[in-house]
Coordinates of all heavy atoms in Angstrom, one line a residue:
M8 N 5.7 16.3 7.6 CA 5.5 15.8 6.3 C 4.0 16.1 5.9 O 3.1 15.8 6.7 CB 5.8 14.3 6.3 CG 5.7 13.6 5.0 SD 6.2 11.9 5.0 CE 7.9 11.9 5.4
C9 N 3.8 16.7 4.8 CA 2.4 16.9 4.3 C 1.7 15.7 3.8 O 2.3 14.8 3.5 CB 2.4 18.1 3.4 SG 2.9 17.6 1.7
N10 N 0.3 15.8 3.9 CA -0.4 14.7 3.4 C -0.1 14.2 2.0 O -0.2 13.0 1.7 CB -2.0 15.0 3.5 CG -2.4 15.1 4.9 OD1 -1.7 14.7 5.9 ND2 -3.5 15.7 5.2
N11 N 0.2 15.2 1.1 CA 0.4 14.8 -0.3 C 1.8 13.9 -0.3 O 1.8 13.0 -1.1 CB 0.7 16.0 -1.2 CG -0.7 16.7 -1.5 OD1 -1.8 16.1 -1.3 ND2 -0.7 17.9 -1.9
T12 N 2.7 14.3 0.4 CA 4.0 13.5 0.4 C 3.8 12.2 1.0 O 4.3 11.2 0.5 CB 5.0 14.3 1.3 OG1 5.2 15.6 0.8 CG2 6.4 13.6 1.3
V13 N 3.0 12.0 2.1 CA 2.7 10.7 2.6 C 2.0 9.9 1.7 O 2.3 8.7 1.4 CB 1.8 10.9 4.0 CG1 1.3 9.5 4.5 CG2 2.7 11.6 5.1
M14 N 0.9 10.4 1.0 CA 0.2 9.7 0.0 C 1.1 9.2 -1.1 O 1.0 8.1 -1.6 CB -1.0 10.4 -0.5 CG -2.0 9.6 -1.2 SD -2.6 8.3 -0.2 CE -3.4 7.3 -1.5
E15 N 2.0 10.1 -1.6 CA 2.9 9.8 -2.7 C 3.8 8.7 -2.3 O 4.1 7.8 -3.0 CB 3.7 11.0 -3.1 CG 2.9 12.0 -3.9 CD 3.7 13.4 -4.1 OE1 4.9 13.4 -3.8 OE2 3.0 14.3 -4.5
E16 N 4.2 8.7 -1.1 CA 5.2 7.6 -0.6 C 4.4 6.4 -0.5 O 4.8 5.2 -0.8 CB 5.8 8.0 0.8 CG 7.0 8.7 0.6 CD 8.1 8.1 -0.2 OE1 8.4 7.0 0.0 OE2 8.7 8.8 -1.0
F17 N 3.1 6.4 0.0 CA 2.3 5.2 0.1 C 2.1 4.6 -1.2 O 2.3 3.3 -1.3 CB 0.9 5.6 0.8 CG -0.1 4.4 0.7 CD1 0.0 3.3 1.6 CD2 -1.1 4.4 -0.2 CE1 -0.9 2.3 1.5 CE2 -1.9 3.4 -0.3 CZ -1.9 2.3 0.6
V18 N 1.7 5.4 -2.1 CA 1.5 4.9 -3.5 C 2.8 4.2 -4.0 O 2.7 3.1 -4.6 CB 1.2 6.0 -4.5 CG1 1.2 5.6 -6.0 CG2 -0.3 6.6 -4.1
K19 N 3.9 4.8 -3.8 CA 5.2 4.3 -4.4 C 5.5 2.9 -3.7 O 5.8 2.0 -4.4 CB 6.3 5.3 -4.1 CG 7.7 4.8 -4.5 CD 8.7 5.9 -4.1 CE 10.1 5.3 -4.0 NZ 11.0 6.3 -3.3
R20 N 5.3 2.9 -2.4 CA 5.7 1.7 -1.6 C 4.7 0.6 -1.9 O 5.1 -0.6 -2.0 CB 5.9 2.0 -0.2 CG 7.2 2.9 0.0 CD 7.5 3.2 1.5 NE 8.7 4.0 1.4 CZ 9.5 4.1 2.5 NH1 9.2 3.7 3.5 NH2 10.5 5.0 2.3
L21 N 3.5 0.9 -2.0 CA 2.4 -0.1 -2.3 C 2.8 -0.8 -3.6 O 2.7 -2.1 -3.7 CB 1.0 0.4 -2.3 CG -0.1 -0.5 -2.7 CD1 -0.2 -1.6 -1.7 CD2 -1.4 0.3 -2.7
K22 N 3.0 0.0 -4.6 CA 3.4 -0.6 -6.0 C 4.6 -1.4 -5.9 O 4.6 -2.6 -6.5 CB 3.6 0.5 -7.0 CG 2.3 1.2 -7.4 CD 2.6 2.3 -8.5 CE 1.3 3.1 -8.8 NZ 1.6 4.1 -9.7
E23 N 5.6 -0.9 -5.2 CA 6.9 -1.6 -5.1 C 6.7 -3.0 -4.4 O 7.2 -4.0 -4.8 CB 7.9 -0.8 -4.3 CG 8.5 0.4 -5.1 CD 9.4 1.2 -4.3 OE1 9.6 1.1 -3.0 OE2 10.0 2.2 -4.9
L24 N 6.0 -2.9 -3.3 CA 5.8 -4.2 -2.5 C 5.0 -5.2 -3.3 O 5.3 -6.4 -3.3 CB 5.2 -3.9 -1.2 CG 6.1 -3.1 -0.2 CD1 5.2 -2.6 1.0 CD2 7.1 -4.0 0.4
R25 N 4.0 -4.7 -4.0 CA 3.1 -5.6 -4.7 C 3.9 -6.2 -5.9 O 3.9 -7.5 -6.1 CB 1.9 -4.8 -5.3 CG 1.0 -5.7 -6.2 CD -0.3 -5.0 -6.6 NE 0.1 -3.8 -7.5 CZ 0.4 -3.9 -8.7 NH1 0.6 -5.0 -9.3 NH2 0.7 -2.7 -9.5
K26 N 4.7 -5.5 -6.5 CA 5.5 -5.9 -7.6 C 6.6 -6.9 -7.3 O 6.9 -7.9 -7.9 CB 6.0 -4.8 -8.5 CG 5.0 -4.1 -9.3 CD 5.4 -3.0 -10.1 CE 4.2 -2.2 -10.7 NZ 4.6 -1.1 -11.6
E27 N 7.2 -6.6 -6.1 CA 8.3 -7.5 -5.5 C 7.7 -8.9 -5.3 O 8.5 -9.8 -5.4 CB 8.8 -6.9 -4.1 CG 9.8 -5.8 -4.4 CD 10.3 -5.1 -3.0 OE1 10.0 -5.7 -2.0 OE2 10.9 -4.0 -3.1
K28 N 6.5 -8.9 -4.9 CA 5.8 -10.2 -4.6 C 5.3 -10.9 -6.0 O 4.7 -11.9 -5.9 CB 4.7 -10.1 -3.6 CG 5.2 -9.9 -2.1 CD 4.1 -10.4 -1.3 CE 4.6 -10.3 0.2 NZ 4.8 -11.7 0.8
G29 N 5.4 -10.1 -7.0 CA 4.9 -10.6 -8.3 C 3.5 -10.7 -8.3 O 2.9 -11.6 -9.1
L30 N 2.7 -9.9 -7.7 CA 1.3 -9.9 -7.6 C 0.7 -8.8 -8.6 O 1.1 -7.7 -8.6 CB 0.7 -9.6 -6.2 CG 1.2 -10.6 -5.2 CD1 0.8 -10.1 -3.8 CD2 0.6 -11.9 -5.4
T31 N -0.5 -9.1 -9.1 CA -1.4 -8.2 -9.9 C -2.2 -7.6 -8.8 O -2.3 -8.0 -7.6 CB -2.2 -8.9 -10.9 OG1 -3.2 -9.7 -10.2 CG2 -1.4 -9.7 -11.9
Q32 N -2.8 -6.5 -9.2 CA -3.7 -5.9 -8.3 C -4.9 -6.8 -7.9 O -5.3 -6.8 -6.7 CB -4.4 -4.6 -8.9 CG -3.4 -3.4 -9.0 CD -4.0 -2.2 -9.6 OE1 -5.1 -2.2 -10.2 NE2 -3.3 -1.1 -9.5
L33 N -5.4 -7.6 -8.8 CA -6.4 -8.6 -8.5 C -5.9 -9.6 -7.5 O -6.7 -10.0 -6.6 CB -6.9 -9.2 -9.7 CG -8.0 -10.3 -9.6 CD1 -9.3 -9.7 -9.0 CD2 -8.3 -11.0 -10.9
Q34 N -4.8 -10.1 -7.7 CA -4.2 -11.0 -6.7 C -4.0 -10.5 -5.3 O -4.3 -11.3 -4.3 CB -2.8 -11.6 -7.2 CG -3.0 -12.5 -8.5 CD -1.7 -12.8 -9.2 OE1 -0.8 -12.1 -9.2 NE2 -1.5 -14.1 -9.7
L35 N -3.5 -9.3 -5.3 CA -3.4 -8.6 -3.9 C -4.8 -8.5 -3.4 O -5.0 -8.7 -2.1 CB -2.7 -7.3 -4.2 CG -2.6 -6.5 -2.8 CD1 -1.8 -7.2 -1.8 CD2 -1.9 -5.1 -3.1
A36 N -5.7 -8.0 -4.1 CA -7.2 -8.0 -3.6 C -7.6 -9.3 -3.0 O -8.3 -9.2 -2.0 CB -8.1 -7.4 -4.7
N37 N -7.5 -10.2 -3.8 CA -7.9 -11.6 -3.3 C -7.2 -12.0 -2.1 O -7.9 -12.6 -1.1 CB -7.8 -12.6 -4.4 CG -8.7 -12.5 -5.5 OD1 -9.8 -11.8 -5.4 ND2 -8.3 -12.9 -6.7
A38 N -6.0 -11.8 -1.9 CA -5.2 -12.2 -0.8 C -5.5 -11.4 0.5 O -5.4 -11.9 1.6 CB -3.7 -12.1 -1.1
T39 N -5.9 -10.2 0.3 CA -6.2 -9.2 1.5 C -7.6 -9.0 1.7 O -7.9 -8.4 2.7 CB -5.4 -7.9 1.3 OG1 -5.9 -7.3 0.1 CG2 -3.9 -8.1 1.2
K40 N -8.5 -9.4 0.9 CA -9.9 -9.2 0.9 C -10.2 -7.8 0.8 O -11.2 -7.2 1.4 CB -10.5 -9.7 2.3 CG -10.2 -11.3 2.5 CD -10.9 -12.1 1.5 CE -10.6 -13.5 1.8 NZ -10.0 -14.3 0.8
I41 N -9.4 -7.0 0.1 CA -9.6 -5.5 -0.2 C -10.0 -5.5 -1.6 O -9.5 -6.3 -2.5 CB -8.3 -4.7 0.1 CG1 -7.9 -4.8 1.5 CG2 -8.5 -3.4 -0.5 CD1 -6.5 -4.1 1.8
S42 N -11.0 -4.6 -2.0 CA -11.4 -4.7 -3.3 C -10.3 -4.2 -4.3 O -9.5 -3.4 -4.0 CB -12.6 -3.8 -3.5 OG -12.3 -2.4 -3.4
V43 N -10.3 -4.8 -5.5 CA -9.4 -4.4 -6.6 C -9.6 -2.9 -6.9 O -8.6 -2.3 -7.2 CB -9.5 -5.3 -7.7 CG1 -10.7 -5.2 -8.5 CG2 -8.2 -5.2 -8.6
S44 N -10.8 -2.4 -6.9 CA -11.0 -1.1 -7.1 C -10.4 -0.1 -6.2 O -9.9 1.0 -6.5 CB -12.5 -0.7 -7.3 OG -13.2 -0.9 -6.1
A45 N -10.3 -0.5 -4.9 CA -9.7 0.3 -3.9 C -8.2 0.3 -4.1 O -7.6 1.3 -4.1 CB -10.0 -0.3 -2.5
I46 N -7.7 -0.8 -4.4 CA -6.2 -0.9 -4.6 C -5.8 -0.1 -5.8 O -4.9 0.7 -5.8 CB -5.8 -2.4 -4.7 CG1 -5.9 -3.2 -3.4 CG2 -4.3 -2.5 -5.3 CD1 -5.7 -4.6 -3.4
S47 N -6.6 -0.2 -6.9 CA -6.4 0.6 -8.0 C -6.5 2.1 -7.8 O -5.6 2.8 -8.2 CB -7.4 0.2 -9.2 OG -7.2 0.9 -10.3
S48 N -7.4 2.4 -7.0 CA -7.6 3.9 -6.7 C -6.4 4.4 -5.8 O -6.0 5.5 -6.1 CB -8.9 4.1 -5.9 OG -10.0 3.8 -6.7
W49 N -5.9 3.6 -5.0 CA -4.8 4.0 -4.2 C -3.6 4.1 -5.0 O -2.9 5.1 -4.9 CB -4.5 3.0 -3.0 CG -5.7 2.8 -2.1 CD1 -6.7 3.8 -1.8 CD2 -6.0 1.7 -1.3 NE1 -7.5 3.3 -0.9 CE2 -7.1 2.0 -0.6 CE3 -5.4 0.4 -1.1 CZ2 -7.7 1.0 0.3 CZ3 -6.0 -0.5 -0.3 CH2 -7.1 -0.2 0.4
E50 N -3.4 3.2 -5.9 CA -2.1 3.2 -6.7 C -2.2 4.2 -7.8 O -1.2 4.8 -8.3 CB -1.9 1.9 -7.4 CG -1.5 0.8 -6.4 CD -0.9 -0.4 -7.2 OE1 -0.8 -0.5 -8.4 OE2 -0.5 -1.4 -6.5
N51 N -3.4 4.8 -8.1 CA -3.6 6.0 -9.0 C -3.7 7.2 -8.2 O -3.9 8.2 -8.8 CB -4.7 5.7 -9.9 CG -4.6 4.6 -10.9 OD1 -3.6 4.7 -11.6 ND2 -5.5 3.7 -11.0
N52 N -3.5 7.2 -6.9 CA -3.6 8.3 -6.0 C -4.9 9.1 -6.2 O -4.9 10.3 -6.2 CB -2.4 9.2 -6.3 CG -2.0 10.1 -5.1 OD1 -2.7 10.0 -4.0 ND2 -1.1 10.9 -5.2
T53 N -6.0 8.4 -6.3 CA -7.3 9.1 -6.3 C -8.2 8.8 -5.1 O -9.3 9.5 -5.0 CB -8.1 8.6 -7.7 OG1 -8.3 7.1 -7.6 CG2 -7.4 9.0 -8.9
R54 N -7.8 7.9 -4.3 CA -8.4 7.7 -3.0 C -7.4 7.5 -1.9 O -6.3 7.1 -2.2 CB -9.3 6.4 -3.1 CG -10.7 6.7 -3.5 CD -11.5 5.4 -3.6 NE -11.6 4.7 -2.4 CZ -12.2 3.4 -2.3 NH1 -12.5 2.7 -3.3 NH2 -12.2 2.9 -1.2
I55 N -7.8 7.8 -0.7 CA -6.9 7.7 0.5 C -7.4 6.4 1.2 O -8.6 6.3 1.5 CB -6.9 8.9 1.4 CG1 -6.4 10.1 0.6 CG2 -6.2 8.6 2.6 CD1 -6.5 11.3 1.2
P56 N -6.4 5.5 1.5 CA -6.9 4.3 2.4 C -7.2 4.6 3.7 O -6.6 5.5 4.4 CB -5.6 3.4 2.3 CG -4.5 4.4 2.2 CD -5.0 5.4 1.3
N57 N -8.1 3.9 4.4 CA -8.4 4.1 5.8 C -7.4 3.3 6.6 O -6.5 2.5 6.1 CB -9.8 3.6 6.1 CG -10.1 2.1 5.9 OD1 -9.3 1.3 6.0 ND2 -11.4 1.8 5.5
A58 N -7.4 3.4 7.9 CA -6.5 2.8 8.9 C -6.5 1.3 8.7 O -5.4 0.6 8.8 CB -6.7 3.3 10.3
I59 N -7.7 0.7 8.7 CA -7.7 -0.8 8.6 C -7.1 -1.2 7.4 O -6.3 -2.3 7.4 CB -9.2 -1.2 8.7 CG1 -9.9 -0.7 10.0 CG2 -9.3 -2.7 8.5 CD1 -9.3 -1.3 11.3
A60 N -7.3 -0.7 6.3 CA -6.7 -1.1 4.9 C -5.0 -0.9 5.1 O -4.4 -1.9 4.7 CB -7.1 -0.2 3.9
I61 N -4.6 0.1 5.7 CA -3.2 0.3 5.9 C -2.5 -0.8 6.8 O -1.6 -1.4 6.5 CB -2.8 1.7 6.4 CG1 -3.2 2.8 5.4 CG2 -1.4 1.8 6.8 CD1 -3.3 4.2 5.9
I62 N -3.3 -1.1 7.8 CA -2.8 -2.2 8.7 C -2.9 -3.5 8.0 O -1.9 -4.4 8.1 CB -3.7 -2.2 10.0 CG1 -3.4 -0.9 10.8 CG2 -3.4 -3.4 10.9 CD1 -4.4 -0.7 12.0
T63 N -3.9 -3.9 7.3 CA -4.0 -5.1 6.6 C -3.0 -5.3 5.6 O -2.3 -6.3 5.5 CB -5.4 -5.1 5.8 OG1 -6.5 -5.1 6.8 CG2 -5.5 -6.4 5.0
L64 N -2.6 -4.2 4.8 CA -1.5 -4.3 3.8 C -0.2 -4.4 4.5 O 0.6 -5.2 4.0 CB -1.5 -3.0 3.0 CG -2.8 -2.9 2.0 CD1 -2.8 -1.5 1.4 CD2 -2.6 -3.9 0.9
A65 N 0.0 -3.7 5.6 CA 1.4 -3.8 6.3 C 1.6 -5.2 6.8 O 2.7 -5.8 6.7 CB 1.4 -2.8 7.5
K66 N 0.5 -5.8 7.4 CA 0.6 -7.2 7.8 C 0.9 -8.2 6.7 O 1.7 -9.1 6.8 CB -0.6 -7.6 8.6 CG -0.7 -7.0 10.0 CD -2.0 -7.6 10.7 CE -2.0 -7.0 12.1 NZ -3.2 -7.4 12.9
F67 N 0.1 -8.0 5.6 CA 0.3 -8.8 4.5 C 1.7 -8.8 3.9 O 2.4 -9.8 3.6 CB -0.7 -8.4 3.3 CG -0.5 -9.3 2.1 CD1 -0.9 -10.6 2.0 CD2 0.2 -8.7 1.0 CE1 -0.7 -11.4 0.9 CE2 0.5 -9.5 -0.2 CZ -0.1 -10.8 -0.2
F68 N 2.3 -7.6 3.8 CA 3.6 -7.4 3.3 C 4.7 -7.6 4.2 O 6.0 -7.5 4.0 CB 3.8 -6.1 2.5 CG 3.0 -5.9 1.3 CD1 2.0 -5.0 1.1 CD2 3.4 -6.7 0.2 CE1 1.3 -5.0 -0.1 CE2 2.7 -6.6 -1.1 CZ 1.6 -5.8 -1.2
E69 N 4.3 -7.8 5.6 CA 5.3 -7.9 6.6 C 6.2 -6.7 6.8 O 7.4 -6.8 6.9 CB 6.0 -9.2 6.5 CG 5.2 -10.4 6.6 CD 5.9 -11.8 6.3 OE1 6.9 -11.7 5.6 OE2 5.4 -12.8 6.9
V70 N 5.6 -5.5 6.7 CA 6.3 -4.3 6.9 C 5.5 -3.5 8.0 O 4.4 -3.8 8.3 CB 6.5 -3.4 5.8 CG1 7.2 -4.2 4.6 CG2 5.1 -3.1 5.1
T71 N 6.1 -2.5 8.6 CA 5.4 -1.6 9.5 C 4.5 -0.6 8.8 O 4.8 -0.3 7.6 CB 6.4 -0.7 10.4 OG1 7.2 0.1 9.5 CG2 7.4 -1.7 11.1
T72 N 3.6 -0.1 9.5 CA 2.6 0.9 8.8 C 3.4 2.1 8.5 O 3.2 2.8 7.5 CB 1.5 1.2 9.7 OG1 1.9 1.5 11.0 CG2 0.5 0.0 9.8
D73 N 4.4 2.4 9.4 CA 5.3 3.6 9.2 C 6.1 3.4 7.8 O 6.2 4.4 7.0 CB 6.2 3.9 10.3 CG 5.6 4.5 11.5 OD1 4.4 4.9 11.4 OD2 6.3 4.7 12.5
Y74 N 6.6 2.2 7.6 CA 7.3 2.0 6.3 C 6.3 2.2 5.1 O 6.7 2.8 4.3 CB 7.9 0.7 6.3 CG 8.6 0.4 5.0 CD1 9.9 0.8 4.7 CD2 7.9 -0.3 4.0 CE1 10.5 0.7 3.5 CE2 8.6 -0.6 2.8 CZ 9.8 0.0 2.5 OH 10.4 -0.2 1.3
L75 N 5.2 1.6 5.2 CA 4.2 1.6 4.2 C 3.8 3.0 3.8 O 3.6 3.4 2.7 CB 3.0 0.8 4.5 CG 2.0 0.6 3.4 CD1 2.6 -0.1 2.1 CD2 0.8 -0.3 3.9
L76 N 3.7 3.9 4.9 CA 3.3 5.3 4.7 C 4.6 6.2 4.4 O 4.3 7.4 4.1 CB 2.7 5.7 5.9 CG 1.3 5.1 6.2 CD1 0.8 5.5 7.6 CD2 0.2 5.5 5.0
G77 N 5.8 5.6 4.4 CA 6.9 6.4 4.1 C 7.5 7.3 5.2 O 8.3 8.2 5.0
V78 N 6.9 7.0 6.4 CA 7.3 7.8 7.6 C 8.7 7.2 8.1 O 9.5 7.9 8.7 CB 6.3 7.7 8.7 CG1 6.7 8.3 10.0 CG2 5.0 8.2 8.2
S79 N 9.0 5.9 7.7 CA 10.2 5.4 8.1 C 10.8 4.6 7.0 O 10.0 4.0 6.2 CB 9.9 4.4 9.3 OG 11.0 3.6 9.6
D80 N 12.1 4.4 7.0 CA 12.7 3.5 6.0 C 13.1 2.1 6.5 O 13.6 1.3 5.9 CB 13.9 4.2 5.5 CG 13.6 5.4 4.5 OD1 12.5 5.3 3.9 OD2 14.5 6.2 4.3
I81 N 12.6 1.9 7.8 CA 12.9 0.5 8.4 C 11.6 -0.3 8.3 O 10.5 0.1 8.6 CB 13.2 0.8 9.8 CG1 14.5 1.6 10.0 CG2 13.4 -0.5 10.6 CD1 14.8 2.1 11.4
Y82 N 11.8 -1.5 7.8 CA 10.7 -2.4 7.6 C 10.1 -2.7 9.0 O 9.0 -3.0 9.3 CB 11.2 -3.8 7.1 CG 11.3 -3.8 5.6 CD1 12.0 -2.7 4.9 CD2 10.7 -4.7 4.8 CE1 12.1 -2.9 3.5 CE2 10.8 -4.8 3.4 CZ 11.5 -3.8 2.8 OH 11.7 -3.9 1.4

């Protein structure tokens, strides 16, 4: 799987998970201590998250990092 595909899946799943919880980007930022500008950049596919951010988001949404990255369809 190429990096573009992984990032596209990450963007898609991040937005889906955030919206499923009924959260705005600001609310997600506050809950995870990740800046709203980082979350916005990821959702607009202009920045790539680091490993710590991916782990933080996966824990918050109670999914695996593989799921969040689109490597697996299993939570």
Side-chain angles (χ1 to χ4, degrees):
M8 187 178 290
C9 74
N10 289 343
N11 287 341
T12 303
V13 170
M14 194 57 195
E15 288 170 9
E16 278 300 313
F17 170 77
V18 167
K19 177 181 160 194
R20 292 188 181 191
L21 176 59
K22 286 179 184 178
E23 286 174 354
L24 290 165
R25 180 177 60 77
K26 290 177 181 181
E27 282 175 12
K28 284 204 176 245
L30 299 172
T31 64
Q32 289 179 349
L33 179 60
Q34 290 169 323
L35 177 59
N37 289 336
T39 59
K40 307 296 187 240
I41 296 172
S42 73
V43 70
S44 64
I46 292 168
S47 176
S48 295
W49 301 333
E50 287 194 2
N51 289 311
N52 203 2
T53 58
R54 272 180 58 193
I55 298 171
N57 65 30
I59 299 300
I61 292 167
I62 292 167
T63 299
L64 291 168
K66 285 183 177 182
F67 177 78
F68 289 117
E69 299 177 331
V70 298
T71 65
T72 54
D73 281 357
Y74 177 81
L75 188 58
L76 294 171
V78 178
S79 167
D80 287 334
I81 300 171
Y82 279 52

